[in-house]
């Protein structure tokens, strides 16, 4: 009983440490800067319009009028926007709760950022079978610059990252429960037949019925798509991975036709996805359906006989609108100071500067003070993670390591899918969706170093020392970079010390 309580206290301590650290990094001075930062110009104003008008109206005037409390430039004419509504609705809800203030439009980004860190800690605890390593994973995400900055700004990518982490966590739960049930069913069959564990069983294994954890994961991934379309990459990658899990576990349970058994059960899962994704995605467009002034809402009525004619008029209009959105994204190649080539994203080669202003009224102890926000990940995390990724891929090919495959799939889904669009105007801050898997890869490597397989899970003093020093250096570097993640006024010379490469300036 005492040991059980102590174990629960360890888990509670993990959640508390991760949650408090993540909250401090995300909520401290959340109302600063008072201006709209980077693309908050689009999403904060879009969120306000959604909760005030029920649709996204067109804005006039200066972009910063909104930040100064002037909402008079919002018209009742629909605006052409190129992302779905879920993220902007959450931003708008924050303003409903706390007013149209910087804290209000950033509140839910920060809250979901904290929740993402805690969920990742619990997921890592399951993956690595260790509360200690779960805590390390949550702490490292809590102090990573990409995730901190995107959790402190009213952009969409932080919300998408949360729902991707949630979907991934649910699939990890599904895999664990499904494997337990498969092994139990195989043991029961062998017991009934009087066979030993070395004998392979006929058939492909049992039908386990509705897998509620996987269904919940489908919903979470579908919501990520309703934030930004590239959530679809994660949904496809991880649901295919769940089929691979099924094949692997049925084979491990000893079923002869493990491939056929897993494939057969994948068919209803695919059909369920085909139903769940459109339903969740369409639900996110309810404000568009219910508002007469939404952009393109009555296109089908104004263009009879055009488009997908067999659909109802409202859906036909929405399909046409999505074609316009797709055409916009395909042709988005306007030069931008901070655009970056995705081939270099793992190295954070061209981080996005969200904000940079002189702060003449600040007392920073220097002649020139500046306030800057740069979405750059902790270099020690990101550079090491790429090396670990190469090792993980080797483990997959050489040893069929399922844990290595799981972590590599998350990293690659966030990165490789952007490589064909290297010619487009895209930014390094999109890598915030990679951040959870950067952390998981690093923690996986640290665990292998501190608890090598040759010791059967026992601690290696040398490996533990190396892992401890590394984590300490990551945290120290996070403390060094924190001012340019949070935007605290600092001496200009101190800001320059953070610009390690010309591409960072």
């Amino acid at each position: 009983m005492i040991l059980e309580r102590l174990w629960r206290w360890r888990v509670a301590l993990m959640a508390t440490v991760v949650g408090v650290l993540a909250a401090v990094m995300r909520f401290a001075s959340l109302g600063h800067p008072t201006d709209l930062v980077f693309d908050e110009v689009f999403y904060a104003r879009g969120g306000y319009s959604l909760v005030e008008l029920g649709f996204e109206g067109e804005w006039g005037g200066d972009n910063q009028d909104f930040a100064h409390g002037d909402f008079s430039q919002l018209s009742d004419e629909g605006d052409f926007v190129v992302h779905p509504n879920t993220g902007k609705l959450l931003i708008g809800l924050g303003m409903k709760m706390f007013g149209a203030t910087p804290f209000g439009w950033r509140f839910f980004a920060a809250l979901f950022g904290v929740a993402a860190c805690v969920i990742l800690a619990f997921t890592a605890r399951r993956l690595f079978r260790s509360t200690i390593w779960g805590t390390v994973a949550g702490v490292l995400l809590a102090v990573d610059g990409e995730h901190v900055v995107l959790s402190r700004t009213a952009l969409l990518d932080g919300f998408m990252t949360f729902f991707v982490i949630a979907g991934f966590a649910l699939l990890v739960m599904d895999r664990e429960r499904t494997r337990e049930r498969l092994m139990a069913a195989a043991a029961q069959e062998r017991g009934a037949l009087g066979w030993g564990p070395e004998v392979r069983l006929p058939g492909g294994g049992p039908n386990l019925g509705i897998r509620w954890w996987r269904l919940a994961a489908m919903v979470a991934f579908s919501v990520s798509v309703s934030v930004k379309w590239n959530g679809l990459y994660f949904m496809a990658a991880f649901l295919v991975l769940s089929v691979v899990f099924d094949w692997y576990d049925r084979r491990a349970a000893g079923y002869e036709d493990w491939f056929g058994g897993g494939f057969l059960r994948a068919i209803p899962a695919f059909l369920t996805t085909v139903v769940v994704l459109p339903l969740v995605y369409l639900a996110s467009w309810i404000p568009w359906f219910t508002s007469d002034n939404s952009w393109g809402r009555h296109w089908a009525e104004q263009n009879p006989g055009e488009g997908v004619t067999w659909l109802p008029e409202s859906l036909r209009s929405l399909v046409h609108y999505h074609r316009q959105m797709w055409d916009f994204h395909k042709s988005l190649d306007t030069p931008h100071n901070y655009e970056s080539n995705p081939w270099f994203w793992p190295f954070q080669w061209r981080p996005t500067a969200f904000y940079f202003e002189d702060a003449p009224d600040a007392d920073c102890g220097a002649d020139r003070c500046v306030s800057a926000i740069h979405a750059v990940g902790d270099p020690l995390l990101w550079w090491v993670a790429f090396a670990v990724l190469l090792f993980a891929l080797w483990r997959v090919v050489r040893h069929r390591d399922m844990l290595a495959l799981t972590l590599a799939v998350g990293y690659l889904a966030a990165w490789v899918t952007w490589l064909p669009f290297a010619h487009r105007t895209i930014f390094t801050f999109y890598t915030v969706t990679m951040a959870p898997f950067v952390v998981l890869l690093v923690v996986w490597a640290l665990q292998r170093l501190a608890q090598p397989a040759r010791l059967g899970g026992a601690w290696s003093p040398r490996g533990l020392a190396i892992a401890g020093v590394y984590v300490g250096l990551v945290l120290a570097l996070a403390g060094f970079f924190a001012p340019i993640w949070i935007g605290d006024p600092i001496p200009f010379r101190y800001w320059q010390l953070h610009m390690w490469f010309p591409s960072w300036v």
Side-chain angles (χ1 to χ4, degrees), residues 464-488:
L464 179 60
I466 294 172
V469 169
Y470 172 80
V471 172
L473 290 174
V474 170
L475 294 176
L477 200 57
F480 174 72
F481 275 95
I484 69 164
W485 295 337
I486 295 174
D488 285 342

Side-chain angles (χ1 to χ4, degrees), residues 120 141 147 161 164-165 431-441:
L120 188 76
L141 186 63
H147 198 260
T161 302
V164 166
I165 292 174
T431 61
V432 66
T433 55
M434 288 169 63
F437 304 102
V438 163
V439 166
L440 290 174
L441 279 168

Side-chain angles (χ1 to χ4, degrees), residues 79-90:
D79 189 19
F80 175 63
V81 294
V82 294
H83 291 295
N85 295 318
T86 298
K88 289 169 282 187
L89 284 168
L90 289 167

Side-chain angles (χ1 to χ4, degrees), residues 386-415:
F386 183 73
V388 177
L389 172 69
L390 300 180
F391 174 67
L393 293 175
W394 176 82
R395 289 281 308 175
V396 171
V397 174
R398 184 69 178 84
H399 298 284
R400 298 181 184 177
D401 189 324
M402 290 301 293
L403 180 54
L405 176 64
T406 302
L407 306 182
V409 163
Y411 188 107
L412 295 174
W415 175 39

